[in-house]
Amino acid sequence: MADSGQVKNIELDVERAAMRRTALAQIRQYPDPVLRMRAREVEVFDEALARQAEGMIALMHDASGVGLAANQVGSLQRMFTIELGEEELAQAIVNPRVTPLGDELEIEEEGCLSLQGVLVPVERPISVRLEAQGVDGKELMLELDGLPARAVQHELDHLDGVLLFDRTTLEARREALAVLRPRVVLANSR
Ligand code: ZN
């Protein structure tokens, strides 16, 4: 099966599954308000930013994710980490700007590390140009198609406080909320 949005479709052995649960416990879950906030432009490219990026890449790997936005670890820096190809080739993307290339759209199911158990159809441009900075402040520009293009759009949404609910059909949104609601009630009653 293909990866979907932010979540990899892979079978995990027992050890990896335990590691994933531990990682997910460190990732902010819906309805945490930080997931609805807009992250701010990064202006200082220092050691602390580099350390945060390293931590996010490690957490993303442990969670078997293909991307992770700063909001999801409770930080409002405009930064996400992402795998744009090979498993180990993860990188931090800072102050991203995404422009669709062409007007072709595609609907694919997407999952999210902050919305566990939810998989909803989302329509997005197939090809995009990503302009951003690296964690060292250097400008970068990438043209992406297919899954990587979808993944950067998903991450950019997080930095704008946008979640999958906002991009799916009314019916899928209702179903997703039904999956999440019992957990919300449990979390509130603790
Ligand atoms: Zn997500």
Side-chain angles (χ1 to χ4, degrees):
M1 275 201 290
D3 297 346
S4 45
Q6 202 172 29
V7 183
K8 282 186 184 178
N9 276 316
I10 48 169
E11 295 278 332
L12 299 177
D13 62 30
V14 175
E15 200 178 314
R16 283 287 297 164
M19 193 192 273
R20 178 160 201 263
R21 276 196 302 279
T22 307
L24 285 172
Q26 295 172 63
I27 294 174
R28 300 297 182 98
Q29 298 297 313
Y30 177 84
D32 192 313
V34 75
L35 297 173
R36 284 305 198 181
M37 293 178 186
R38 187 183 184 278
R40 293 179 293 264
E41 311 299 327
V42 172
E43 285 166 8
V44 181
F45 295 83
D46 58 4
E47 193 56 34
L49 188 74
R51 265 202 309 275
Q52 188 188 334
E54 273 172 36
M56 284 172 60
I57 286 172
L59 191 57
M60 176 178 78
H61 279 150
D62 289 352
S64 302
V66 292
L68 185 67
N71 306 47
Q72 294 178 283
V73 292
S75 156
L76 288 175
Q77 302 264 37
R78 245 174 137 67
M79 173 167 76
F80 59 75
T81 57
I82 196 149
E83 266 180 24
L84 288 175
E86 310 266 314
E87 165 124 18
E88 300 308 322
L89 277 181
Q91 56 182 310
I93 300 290
V94 182
N95 299 334
R97 293 157 334 263
V98 171
T99 322
L101 295 173
D103 43 20
E104 240 186 313
L105 303 174
E106 190 172 45
I107 299 174
E108 291 276 359
E109 298 227 297
E110 281 186 35
C112 178
L113 296 173
S114 294
L115 304 169
Q116 289 175 52
V118 166
L119 210 56
V120 295
V122 178
E123 188 176 51
R124 299 192 190 272
I126 293 180
S127 306
V128 297
R129 176 181 298 125
L130 169 67
E131 290 165 284
Q133 285 165 281
V135 77
D136 53 4
K138 273 198 202 120
E139 296 284 338
L140 64 92
M141 200 275 280
L142 293 168
E143 294 193 348
L144 303 165
D145 296 299
L147 285 174
R150 180 169 290 272
V152 299
Q153 293 175 78
H154 181 114
E155 299 313 324
L156 181 61
D157 275 353
H158 273 302
L159 301 181
D160 290 329
V162 173
L163 295 173
L164 292 179
F165 307 128
D166 310 323
R167 298 238 182 247
T168 193
T169 61
L170 210 61
E171 195 190 345
R173 179 194 183 109
R174 203 178 297 127
E175 281 172 25
L177 288 170
V179 169
L180 293 166
R181 199 171 289 120
R183 251 178 264 151
V184 172
V185 171
L186 281 174
N188 288 341
S189 64
R190 260 207 303 260

